[in-house]
Amino acid sequence: MYGVMRARAGMWVRRMHAARRDAGMVTSEYAMGLIAAVGFAGLLLKVLTSGQVQAALQGIVERALNG
């Protein structure tokens, strides 16, 4: 009986340690994803504010309103 209880307690402790290790990874992965999203948003902003893209978008809007 004592051996079974000790084995169950050991499994519980290992699970708790594994959960703590994973918690740090989730935070770092979240931070890297956030950095990537901000970089992509900056690149998208740069492209959309360029003269060629603005002219193309303006042409599309004018055709939609006139047509």
Side-chain angles (χ1 to χ4, degrees):
M1 180 74 158
Y2 175 73
V4 172
M5 291 177 62
R6 185 173 177 177
R8 286 184 183 168
M11 286 177 20
W12 183 79
V13 169
R14 285 190 293 277
R15 285 183 194 159
M16 294 304 291
H17 285 297
R20 271 193 233 141
R21 281 194 310 260
D22 289 344
M25 290 299 294
V26 171
T27 303
S28 64
E29 290 170 356
Y30 177 75
M32 292 302 293
L34 184 61
I35 291 169
V38 169
F40 181 72
L43 179 65
L44 187 60
L45 180 65
K46 184 83 169 168
V47 168
L48 290 177
T49 57
S50 70
Q52 293 176 341
V53 173
Q54 282 185 346
L57 290 174
Q58 185 175 356
I60 292 170
V61 170
E62 287 176 359
R63 279 189 300 239
L65 293 175
N66 292 332

